[in-house]
Amino acid sequence: MMSQFRVKPTLCQIDSCKAFCEQFEVGKGDLILTNPTYFEGFFDGCADGATVVFLKKYGKGEPTDLMVEALYQDIKDLEYKRVIAIGGGSIIDIAKIIAQETISPVVDLFEKKIPTKKTKELIIIPTTCGTGSEVTSVSVIELTVRGTKLGLQTDEEFADYAVLIPELLEKLPFRFFATSSIDALIHAIESYLSPKANPFTEMFSVEAIKLILHGYQEIVAHGEAARNEHIKEFLLASTYAGIAFGNAGCAAVHAMSMPFSGTYHVPHGEANYVVFTEVFKVYNRLAPDGKIRILNELLTSIVGGDGSDVYERLETLLSAILPKKTLKEYGVKEEELAVFTENVMTKQGRLTANNYTPLSKEEVYGIYQNLYG
């Protein structure tokens, strides 16, 4: 089978937000989608003439179809040539949608009843170190009318430019730093084991894993403030992981987090973290002699031990960064585990197609049971 690898957006590293505005001549004809914290703290005064839209006006938390539809009503008559997304995953996912020719009804867009066609130039500037969405062709929103999250993947959602500005992460609250960077780690590890992985994607996956885990060890050793000394590495790791999973895909961890996260409005990275190691323990039990053996050796070289307890040691390190909760602690009812399982088996095929080894309905349900608490 032919290996494929693409990095579609032009990647840029810029020292400051002011320098970005100058180099990209931000102003009239630009629609900036962001939130006040980012704009007022870093861009106010250097983006004169641009139309600025704050996503928080349309709702909090993960993006939904209702938020997109409300935003669409406010921008449908505006004239703009570029969409500039400055934010985390929610802002980036919605920016990819509003760069399309047809935005509404967004449910039809995600269910592929209407085609995607990007008619605006799209510039993405991440303000977290987790989604990697600046280099992927995927957006994910909660479809409230369907009761689940759904991903849309199409080349029309690639950005034209992905711009990395480390200063935007300096004031990121530690919890958001933790959930986003753990999400990046999961992107790197899932894509490494994907059947679509190849030597190109593996290179980016491995480097992201090393940067993130070594960074965590520095934080555990020297305190939360130590992350600021490594913030550029975390931002790079997020983009590396985005390049990897943008080509090789994510799998069961993301698939299993979708119905849980959509139902209980748990942030994407946090929901993935809840599911993460339990899925990999099952993979390791089902197919220990495959590629996961190489992954385990890499992880063991970082977290220590003899390899027999690699996922327990990994979880110990991650828990020192962000304590993990059970599904029950989020309010999940035990009878909902079967509903989540059915969703994974019937609606998340885009993701489960990338599983390291097939997981049966019984195995998926068993993972949820082990996570229930």
Side-chain angles (χ1 to χ4, degrees):
M1 184 179 71
M2 179 179 68
S3 295
Q4 293 186 345
F5 181 80
R6 292 185 300 167
V7 182
K8 193 71 178 286
T10 298
L11 294 171
C12 306
Q13 279 188 298
I14 299 180
D15 291 336
S16 70
C17 300
K18 181 180 179 180
F20 162 76
C21 290
E22 291 173 352
Q23 292 176 37
F24 278 78
E25 299 180 339
V26 177
K28 186 177 180 181
D30 292 327
L31 175 65
I32 298 175
L33 182 65
T34 186
N35 273 328
T37 300
Y38 306 130
F39 187 79
E40 294 168 3
F42 297 96
F43 290 89
D44 198 12
C46 65
D48 295 340
T51 299
V52 182
V53 178
F54 295 140
L55 183 61
K56 67 180 297 182
K57 173 184 175 182
Y58 304 96
K60 298 179 180 179
E62 304 282 299
T64 69
D65 49 354
L66 301 179
M67 292 165 66
V68 175
E69 295 292 355
L71 172 60
Y72 170 68
Q73 291 302 314
D74 286 351
I75 67 171
K76 64 181 181 180
D77 296 324
L78 298 177
E79 293 186 8
Y80 55 97
K81 296 179 180 179
R82 294 194 299 192
V83 175
I84 302 175
I86 307 166
S90 297
I91 286 171
I92 293 173
D93 283 350
I94 291 180
K96 290 178 178 180
I97 298 168
I98 65 173
Q100 305 299 316
E101 181 177 56
T102 304
I103 300 169
S104 179
V106 71
V107 172
D108 287 352
L109 194 68
F110 272 70
E111 293 184 341
K112 299 184 178 180
K113 295 176 182 176
I114 54 179
T116 53
K117 181 181 178 183
K118 183 156 69 76
T119 54
K120 314 293 184 185
E121 186 173 270
L122 178 59
I123 301 170
I124 295 178
I125 307 172
T127 59
T128 69
C129 48
T131 70
S133 294
E134 66 273 9
V135 289
T136 73
S137 60
V138 181
S139 60
V140 179
I141 67 169
E142 179 188 345
L143 299 181
T144 59
V145 295
R146 301 289 185 262
T148 190
K149 286 185 177 181
L150 197 65
L152 176 66
Q153 183 170 21
T154 165
D155 280 7
E156 298 295 316
E157 292 199 312
F158 273 121
D160 295 283
Y161 292 91
V163 183
L164 306 184
I165 309 176
E167 77 169 0
L168 281 167
L169 277 67
E170 291 175 0
K171 296 181 181 179
L172 185 67
F174 188 82
R175 181 176 179 81
F176 295 145
F177 160 78
T179 57
S180 64
S181 56
I182 289 175
D183 193 25
L185 176 67
I186 295 169
H187 290 155
I189 292 179
E190 280 211 292
S191 60
Y192 182 80
L193 287 189
S194 168
K196 297 177 185 173
N198 57 56
F200 309 110
T201 66
E202 289 168 357
M203 176 179 65
F204 283 96
S205 292
V206 168
E207 188 62 22
I209 292 168
K210 290 178 178 178
L211 285 172
I212 294 169
L213 292 182
H214 285 309
Y216 284 164
Q217 289 174 328
E218 288 293 308
I219 292 169
V220 171
H222 302 290
E224 292 183 4
R227 55 114 174 200
N228 289 327
E229 299 176 19
H230 301 278
I231 207 67
K232 185 174 182 179
E233 288 88 345
F234 277 105
L235 184 56
L236 282 172
S238 174
T239 300
Y240 290 162
I243 291 170
F245 91 81
N247 282 275
C250 289
V253 174
H254 279 68
M256 292 187 65
S257 77
M258 288 286 191
F260 155 56
S261 176
T263 303
Y264 285 90
H265 309 290
V266 178
H268 174 73
E270 185 175 348
N272 284 338
Y273 173 42
V274 172
V275 177
F276 173 39
T277 53
E278 197 63 36
V279 169
F280 275 73
K281 289 175 185 177
V282 173
Y283 281 165
N284 204 46
R285 174 172 57 81
L286 295 175
D289 296 322
K291 191 176 178 182
I292 200 169
R293 181 186 292 273
I294 303 171
L295 172 66
N296 292 347
E297 290 173 354
L298 170 63
L299 296 175
T300 298
S301 72
I302 300 171
V303 301
D306 60 6
S308 62
D309 60 348
V310 61
Y311 294 104
E312 288 78 7
R313 284 177 172 268
L314 179 59
E315 189 154 289
T316 297
L317 174 60
L318 298 184
S319 295
I321 301 296
L322 182 70
K324 191 173 86 168
K325 298 194 292 188
T326 65
L327 292 177
K328 189 175 183 179
E329 289 178 289
Y330 286 100
V332 174
K333 302 174 182 63
E334 193 164 9
E335 57 267 27
E336 290 178 299
L337 304 184
V339 178
F340 292 169
T341 301
E342 188 64 23
N343 181 286
V344 172
M345 304 308 293
T346 61
K347 295 184 179 180
Q348 305 298 338
R350 177 182 68 87
L351 293 163
T352 57
N354 299 322
N355 286 359
Y356 164 64
T357 192
L359 298 178
S360 68
K361 185 175 182 178
E362 292 71 26
E363 285 155 349
V364 170
Y365 183 75
I367 291 169
Y368 280 131
Q369 279 188 312
N370 289 339
L371 295 169
Y372 183 69

